[in-house]
Amino acid sequence: RVAEAAELTDGIEAQVAGVFGRGSWSHAAAVVRLGQIAAARGDAAGARRLFERVWNEWPEADDALTANRAAAALGLLGLEIDAG
């Protein structure tokens, strides 16, 4: 199923950014999902790059944390746990 998900989401970031706007909440959600798929495929470096993009490119107020940034943070923590 992971390979199928990777195939079905090919090009999805550009499509979502085109429809909802680059930097939109939906764009961030797509990047998080791509990171999750990369992690599931065993591509830790690719997953880290995607999760870090969400964390760095979608800043928030100091007292806020949206679902996308929280998911990116959890993804990064999961990668650290898997790395030992």
Side-chain angles (χ1 to χ4, degrees):
R1 292 274 200 206
V2 174
E4 181 181 4
E7 183 180 319
L8 291 172
T9 57
D10 186 43
I12 196 75
E13 182 182 355
Q15 292 175 11
V16 171
V19 171
F20 297 101
R22 183 161 183 76
S24 67
W25 183 91
S26 294
H27 183 199
V31 175
V32 166
R33 297 302 177 260
L34 291 172
Q36 292 168 336
I37 292 168
R41 285 190 354 243
D43 180 7
R48 177 175 301 284
R49 187 183 80 253
L50 291 162
F51 292 140
E52 287 177 346
R53 278 187 55 209
V54 173
W55 191 257
N56 294 324
E57 294 178 21
W58 280 271
E60 299 174 285
D62 292 337
D63 62 346
L65 185 64
T66 66
N68 289 327
R69 283 186 53 125
L74 287 174
L76 289 168
L77 289 171
L79 292 171
E80 290 298 320
I81 291 168
D82 289 346

